[in-house]
């Protein structure tokens, strides 16, 4: 059985660092792929088909392969701070490359609305390799 995550093209605007995903049971949104809802093909089609392309269903493994580590940003004093509160995150950058790969892999439910990726110059996210992380904190 194929499993899908649903990316919300319409809620991922050009100021957002990461792609917005539907949460489980269609209850809200998250930037984190491992907190996103996992849907069957039938469920994904019923959600995405009437959306006019503002939602797309992508295979879970494709989204997971595009996900990066918890994002940080550099503070004015040079230290790193998490971009988002909470534990570890696995976001997919709101980039042209990511949207292109998601578009190729998406479940065919009709047209896809035009994504609005963040300009590379506007992105603050810094991704650290796992060996530089200690319990979700930069070391």
């Amino acid at each position: 059985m194929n499993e899908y995550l649903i990316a919300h093209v319409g809620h991922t605007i050009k100021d957002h660092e990461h792609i917005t995903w539907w949460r489980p049971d269609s209850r809200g949104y998250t930037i984190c792929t491992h907190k996103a809802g996992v849907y069957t093909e039938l469920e994904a089609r019923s959600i995405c088909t009437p959306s006019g392309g503002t939602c797309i269903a992508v295979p879970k493994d494709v989204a997971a392969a595009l996900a990066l580590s918890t994002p940080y940003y550099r503070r004015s004093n040079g230290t790193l701070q998490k971009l988002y509160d909470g534990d570890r995150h696995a976001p997919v950058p709101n980039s042209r490359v990511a949207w292109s790969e998601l578009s190729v892999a998406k479940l065919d439910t009709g047209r896809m609305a035009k994504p609005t990726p963040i300009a590379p110059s506007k992105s603050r996210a810094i991704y650290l390799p796992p060996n530089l992380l200690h319990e979700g904190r930069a070391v």
Side-chain angles (χ1 to χ4, degrees):
M1 178 174 78
N2 292 334
E3 296 180 318
Y4 295 89
L5 302 187
I6 298 176
H8 203 299
V9 181
H11 281 351
T12 308
I13 61 174
K14 66 182 179 179
D15 294 340
H16 292 177
E17 297 261 350
H18 300 98
I19 292 174
T20 303
W21 302 95
W22 282 44
R23 282 176 117 4
D25 301 318
S26 304
R27 294 186 178 174
Y29 305 99
T30 182
I31 55 97
C32 186
T33 55
H34 66 260
K35 294 178 184 176
V38 178
Y39 299 88
T40 66
E41 181 176 339
L42 185 61
E43 292 169 325
R45 285 186 184 284
S46 71
I47 292 167
C48 296
T49 301
S51 80
T54 60
C55 297
I56 61 167
V58 296
K60 180 181 174 182
D61 60 334
V62 171
L66 292 170
L68 300 175
S69 64
T70 299
Y72 289 82
Y73 71 96
R74 188 163 311 282
R75 298 173 66 184
S76 58
N77 66 4
T79 62
L80 294 180
Q81 179 72 39
K82 277 187 181 179
L83 194 58
Y84 302 109
D85 291 337
D87 282 341
R88 295 180 182 168
H89 298 285
V92 175
N94 181 19
S95 68
R96 289 186 197 282
V97 170
W99 280 115
S100 177
E101 291 190 37
L102 294 175
S103 176
V104 168
K106 76 178 182 70
L107 186 63
D108 185 11
T109 57
R111 73 175 194 90
M112 176 180 157
K114 185 178 179 188
T116 53
I118 191 170
S121 62
K122 302 280 185 188
S123 180
R124 300 179 301 152
I126 298 169
Y127 305 96
L128 301 175
N131 63 328
L132 293 180
L133 296 175
H134 178 66
E135 296 179 14
R137 296 188 325 263
V139 292

